Amino acid sequence: MSLEEPFTDLKIETQSSGFYKGYSLPIALVSKLSVSLLVLWALVWPFSANDTLRSWKSGLLIEFNTFYDVSVGLFAFFLLLIALIPATGRMRLGAEDEQPEFSNFSWFSMMFGAGLGVGLMVYATAEPLGLWETNPLTVSGEVAPRSEEAIEGAYRYTFLHTGFHAWAIYVVTGLSLAYYAYTRDMPLTIRAALTPLLGEYANGVAGHVIDILGVVATILGVAVTIGYGVSQLVDGAFLITGMQWLVDSAEATANPSTAGLIAALALVMMMSTLSAVSGVGRGVKYLSNINLVLSLVLLAVFIVFGSFSFAVTTYAAALVDYIANFIPLSFQAYSPMSKAEFASVLPAEAVPFVGELFTGATDAWGTKETFLDGLSADAASLSDETKAVAYEAGTQGRLFEWQAGWTTFYWAWWIAFSPFVGLFLARISKGRTVREFIIGAVVAPSLVCFAWMTILGGSAIDLELNGGANGAILAASTTATLFVTLGEMISGHFLTIISIMCVLLTMTFLVTSADSGILVMNTIMSGGSEDTGLVHRVIWGVLLTLVIGTLLIAGGGGLEALTNSMIIGALPFSVVLLLMCVSLAKAMINDLRRSSNEEHSDTSSN
């Protein structure tokens, strides 16, 4: 029985003239309206916006923490399956004789810079160090924080957050878009990935909604990335120049000031918009190559002056541990704990203090010592056994709070980032096979990220573990950790030179992320066209700047409002990602069946 031909008649109506010539008016207007309302809300009622976003985020995590975590595990296993199956793995994204547009070096450079460049600069030292202090093994009391035994857990979850799972999120989007664009000659836009499920409905309101969700998610994902990046940029600039206005106080570990963040943001976004105007083939490509070269220089500094032997040993052990725990890490989701659940397991004498005990016992960022020290005089008078039981009873709550604050935050970030990175990956991957795409965009970047995390982060941990840093690195803010670690390793003019290089590297990573995001948003709004209007690229550069700036102001110069918005905005797009997996599986199975039927018909006719 022959199959019907797949639906490929995707018609995204665009304006033939006027200001929005070449753009889909519903997508462009609704996307701009949504972003503009967010900007106005954060600008006019900053405190209300911040409080509301915090409340929405908390409620969302209570209901959807498990959904986020299990979904990401499914993405990783879905890609593993289609890469391992010979028939699907050898499918080519394009014609059978299609050759890749970019060399492997440029392809990897652009993929690396767009996918995790800024995140690696901010978190390469901060994440392993932070997880050394608090991870599920320390939260549950299995090992002591900041101990040699805690290193295993620190890197197990560092690899989880920056490894195969994270890149799988990007590649689900990228592979879906590339498959339909290059094997079925469809527009390179989000709705195309759901055409096997939507059919002709993709041309209507349903398709518009999917593309709008992609634009909004991209805005929020890129906004958080740039928010962290400009914070690190200000930290570095302050440590190099000592200019007081860049921070809230004169101390080296002080947080960046709002004025410093806004100034850095304006500079980065101006450069990003100019780069976006030049297009992928020039601005993004050249900046990405520079990023990779400077990254290798920074890596070499840590190899020579850092704890390289510690890093090599940790890399091997952590990689084996990550793979050994791959399945439980993929589907391990913790549920929130209610006060009633907590009270039900307390001894009778502790029930009158349930509120106070619950708050401290479920705090994932504290320790048993801080829990005991924080008790009031009456609660502290409880027996040691009762207090121990109360703290143990809060383990589930601590594990949930930790997962929501670390892992789920990351999954939301990668999901919000996936329309941007996925479409960008699809744009630069024409001519590659499905297996090559998955290995090249999941496995290879993950192994490089692991090296970064063990070489840079391992040096920070080793300095603290052996007492060389005397707590200086642990005391630094997230975005200042890299510079403080460098200060413990090297000194003098060489430190100044490397710090300046790090600032430039952060800036080029930021520019690459922002200009790629601007290009991607315009591609979605123009119905998949890669030749978008220069004026609209500039407009979206300005809008992106306003979103980040106003949410920074709403958060009092902090990143809370940005991250809360991103976690909320990522939820609807996570549903789209799951549908993409179903859609791609259906398309591949039916295409293989059609191919088999054609071969059978040819054989019969001969």
Side-chain angles (χ1 to χ4, degrees):
M1 180 180 175
S2 62
L3 292 170
E4 292 183 5
E5 287 301 306
F7 175 81
T8 59
D9 190 22
L10 192 59
K11 297 177 181 178
I12 304 175
E13 185 176 344
T14 57
Q15 299 299 296
S16 58
S17 61
F19 181 73
Y20 285 100
K21 181 180 180 181
Y23 283 77
S24 168
L25 199 59
I27 301 173
L29 290 181
V30 175
S31 297
K32 283 183 179 177
L33 179 63
S34 302
V35 171
S36 298
L37 289 174
L38 179 61
V39 169
L40 288 173
W41 183 32
L43 191 62
V44 179
W45 298 285
F47 297 110
S48 170
N50 196 35
D51 291 342
T52 303
L53 289 170
R54 184 190 300 120
S55 175
W56 287 354
K57 188 251 330 200
S58 298
L60 181 146
L61 288 177
I62 289 173
E63 298 296 331
F64 292 99
N65 182 68
T66 299
F67 175 79
Y68 268 124
D69 288 286
V70 173
S71 295
V72 173
L74 291 174
F75 299 150
F77 277 90
F78 172 72
L79 292 175
L80 177 65
L81 183 65
I82 62 174
L84 290 177
I85 296 174
T88 53
R90 62 172 173 260
M91 288 180 165
R92 188 170 294 278
L93 303 174
E96 284 299 319
D97 58 348
E98 190 89 46
Q99 294 300 310
E101 179 181 359
F102 299 101
S103 68
N104 287 339
F105 181 83
S106 291
W107 182 55
F108 183 78
S109 298
M110 288 189 283
M111 183 167 53
F112 180 79
L116 271 179
V118 175
L120 284 183
M121 289 299 293
V122 174
Y123 283 102
T125 49
E127 168 133 359
L129 201 66
L131 289 172
W132 184 47
E133 292 187 87
T134 173
N135 64 69
L137 301 184
T138 64
V139 166
S140 62
E142 293 180 44
V143 299
R146 303 184 188 179
S147 64
E148 190 169 344
E149 293 75 20
I151 294 173
E152 179 182 280
Y155 273 100
R156 178 183 301 173
Y157 290 92
T158 295
F159 280 21
L160 170 66
H161 297 156
T162 58
F164 304 148
H165 293 82
W167 285 90
I169 296 170
Y170 296 157
V171 174
V172 163
T173 308
L175 180 59
S176 296
L177 297 177
Y179 187 84
Y180 301 105
Y182 304 134
T183 66
R184 296 187 175 181
D185 196 27
M186 297 176 71
L188 193 61
T189 189
I190 305 297
R191 73 175 74 184
L194 297 185
T195 49
L197 298 179
L198 294 177
E200 62 183 12
Y201 291 105
N203 288 328
V205 175
H208 293 335
V209 170
I210 290 165
D211 283 343
I212 291 165
L213 289 176
V215 173
V216 173
T218 300
I219 279 277
L220 296 174
V222 173
V224 170
T225 299
I226 294 174
Y228 275 102
V230 295
S231 180
Q232 187 175 58
L233 206 61
V234 174
D235 279 323
F238 171 70
L239 292 172
I240 293 167
T241 65
M243 291 189 289
Q244 302 291 323
W245 65 276
L246 292 172
V247 295
D248 286 329
S249 76
E251 296 181 10
T253 56
N255 293 321
S257 66
T258 303
L261 289 170
I262 298 301
L265 173 65
L267 175 62
V268 167
M269 293 308 300
M270 180 180 67
M271 295 175 62
S272 301
T273 305
L274 291 174
S275 181
V277 168
S278 70
V280 175
R282 289 188 292 175
V284 177
K285 175 182 175 181
Y286 296 142
L287 279 175
S288 296
N289 289 343
I290 292 170
N291 289 344
L292 192 56
V293 171
L294 291 180
S295 298
L296 293 175
V297 173
L298 179 60
L299 204 61
V301 170
F302 273 85
I303 289 173
V304 174
F305 297 98
S307 307
F308 187 59
S309 59
F310 177 90
V312 171
T313 305
T314 302
Y315 188 108
L319 184 58
V320 171
D321 180 70
Y322 173 52
I323 294 172
N325 289 279
F326 193 83
I327 293 177
L329 286 173
S330 299
F331 302 109
Q332 186 179 60
Y334 299 110
S335 301
M337 187 177 200
S338 69
K339 191 177 294 185
E341 289 176 306
F342 178 76
S344 68
V345 296
L346 289 181
E349 63 175 332
V351 173
F353 308 101
V354 63
E356 181 182 349
L357 294 171
F358 178 77
T359 301
T362 56
D363 179 14
W365 318 116
T367 63
K368 188 173 182 179
E369 288 69 29
T370 58
F371 162 70
L372 295 173
D373 291 342
L375 295 177
S376 64
D378 290 337
S381 66
L382 294 169
S383 68
D384 292 342
E385 182 181 355
T386 298
K387 288 183 286 189
V389 169
Y391 188 73
E392 180 65 26
T395 300
Q396 178 187 326
R398 293 196 302 277
L399 287 170
F400 167 77
E401 188 173 306
W402 180 89
Q403 188 174 61
W406 275 98
T407 304
T408 308
F409 161 73
Y410 273 116
W411 294 164
W413 192 355
W414 303 154
I415 289 169
F417 220 43
S418 66
F420 150 50
V421 180
L423 199 151
F424 187 69
L425 288 178
R427 165 67 184 83
I428 63 176
S429 300
K430 186 177 182 180
R432 300 187 183 272
T433 66
V434 169
R435 185 176 296 111
E436 181 184 12
F437 185 93
I438 292 172
I439 293 173
V442 173
V443 179
S446 296
L447 296 177
V448 173
C449 290
F450 297 164
W452 267 75
M453 293 294 177
T454 50
I455 294 172
L456 276 67
S459 295
I461 290 176
D462 194 39
L463 284 166
E464 289 289 3
L465 186 64
N466 295 319
N470 294 317
I473 306 175
L474 286 167
S477 66
T478 298
T479 52
T481 304
L482 173 63
F483 297 103
V484 177
T485 303
L486 283 170
E488 295 294 327
M489 289 167 38
I490 56 181
S491 60
H493 294 302
F494 186 52
L495 173 60
T496 302
I497 292 170
I498 297 301
S499 297
I500 292 172
M501 188 196 77
C502 287
V503 170
L504 293 175
L505 182 56
T506 301
M507 182 174 292
T508 54
F509 271 135
L510 283 170
V511 171
T512 304
S513 295
D515 63 13
S516 300
I518 293 168
L519 289 170
V520 163
M521 286 184 286
N522 279 273
T523 297
I524 296 172
M525 287 182 291
S526 62
S529 173
E530 296 173 13
D531 184 21
T532 56
L534 299 183
V535 173
H536 291 279
R537 297 184 198 176
V538 174
I539 289 173
W540 274 101
V542 172
L543 282 174
L544 183 57
T545 306
L546 290 173
V547 169
I548 302 167
T550 52
L551 288 175
L552 284 173
I553 293 170
L559 301 172
E560 184 188 15
L562 271 174
T563 56
N564 290 344
S565 299
M566 178 267 297
I567 290 170
I568 295 165
L571 180 62
F573 200 78
S574 64
V575 177
V576 174
L577 282 176
L578 286 171
L579 293 175
M580 281 184 182
C581 293
V582 176
S583 182
L584 184 58
K586 179 182 178 182
M588 285 183 160
I589 290 169
N590 286 339
D591 283 350
L592 288 172
R593 290 174 63 191
R594 291 185 189 96
S595 178
S596 177
N597 288 342
E598 289 175 6
E599 291 176 5
H600 181 72
S601 298
D602 291 341
T603 303
S604 299
S605 62
N606 290 333

